[in-house]
Amino acid sequence: MRLSEFDDQALEEAVLLKERSGAKVTAIALAGEGVDRLLQTAVARGVDEVVRVVHDIADSRDTARQVEALAGALHRIGADVVLTGVMTPEDILGQLAGTLAGRLGWPVFNAVTSVAAEGDGLRLRQEYSGGRAAIFDVSGPVVIGVQSASQAPRYVAGSKLRQAAGTPIGQEEIPTRAPAAAAAITGLSLVEAGGQAVSLEGDATTIAGKIIAILSEKGLIGA
């Protein structure tokens, strides 16, 4: 098991928020091979506590049951802000943040690139396609899907990793059940290409002539 790229960004943003505001950061992860090492690395990077969530989920792509386990653990530890990556190799549709927010009854903000303390709440920067972004002031519990941290994830020295290796890991055991209306991923495959793009080269007059010829060949304009 390894930390996904986006969860790595979310972890860094959480630690930055702690350093700027004094917030307490708890890293939680679903139990699995190598998860203790991941959590100890999170301690070396600056989190305060770590929790391993023991579960009965057989399929790592089952976002609905993952949400059940995570929501149960979050209630037990008393979290009021959740930062998670916008996507993981298993959560291929990017459902985790939104589904978790729905389960908790909290608002959600996805594709966030900055989280900062502002008064009694948080100020979030959310990015959109086309180079646009919006700033939101948020108060109260919230789930945040982090696309990128305010700065690159920090390098952790080997000495810190060795020190963190002895960190006790908290544990929560959360039974889960699949919601009645849960969807299931039945298969994944590469898209079969139906054709290839054609690159037109030459000066403006030459390219214009080629475009006219293509349109004429397809019967879209008169010869």
Side-chain angles (χ1 to χ4, degrees):
M1 180 182 289
R2 62 184 296 272
L3 191 64
S4 76
E5 175 187 354
F6 292 115
D7 283 339
D8 193 21
Q9 300 289 333
L11 176 61
E12 182 63 29
E13 194 67 10
V15 174
L16 289 171
L17 182 61
K18 168 192 170 178
E19 293 171 345
R20 296 165 180 166
S21 67
K24 176 184 176 182
V25 176
T26 301
I28 69 173
L30 298 177
E33 183 180 354
V35 72
D36 287 4
R37 178 67 171 173
L38 287 181
L39 291 172
Q40 289 163 350
T41 301
V43 171
R45 288 176 59 175
V47 308
D48 299 294
E49 293 180 355
V50 288
V51 174
R52 179 200 312 112
V53 181
V54 179
H55 57 87
D56 54 1
I57 305 167
D59 187 349
S60 62
R61 299 170 302 177
D62 192 341
T63 301
R65 294 187 70 183
Q66 289 181 17
V67 162
E68 287 286 318
L70 293 171
L74 291 166
H75 277 307
R76 290 186 185 181
I77 67 176
D80 53 9
V81 175
V82 176
L83 277 73
T84 182
V86 294
M87 188 179 296
T88 70
E90 293 81 20
D91 179 32
I92 57 172
L93 302 178
Q95 301 178 86
L96 181 63
T99 308
L100 181 58
R103 177 65 176 79
L104 295 171
W106 297 0
V108 60
F109 291 85
N110 244 329
V112 171
T113 58
S114 175
V115 181
E118 184 70 24
D120 294 330
L122 299 172
R123 177 161 291 178
L124 313 179
R125 185 177 189 272
Q126 186 181 51
E127 292 198 350
Y128 303 94
S129 59
R132 294 181 173 86
I135 305 297
F136 296 91
D137 286 334
V138 182
S139 59
V142 63
V143 176
I144 302 168
V146 177
Q147 179 171 300
S148 62
S150 304
Q151 64 184 46
R154 66 197 64 196
Y155 168 78
V156 180
S159 58
K160 281 192 172 183
L161 288 172
R162 289 189 293 272
Q163 183 179 357
T167 301
I169 296 176
Q171 181 164 295
E172 296 288 350
E173 188 164 352
I174 310 292
T176 62
R177 57 181 177 79
I185 297 175
T186 58
L188 299 173
S189 64
L190 296 174
V191 177
E192 187 174 334
Q196 301 293 327
V198 177
S199 178
L200 301 179
E201 299 179 355
D203 59 24
T205 300
T206 301
I207 292 174
K210 290 179 179 180
I211 293 173
I212 292 171
I214 291 171
L215 294 175
S216 178
E217 179 184 349
K218 294 184 178 295
L220 298 176
I221 60 174

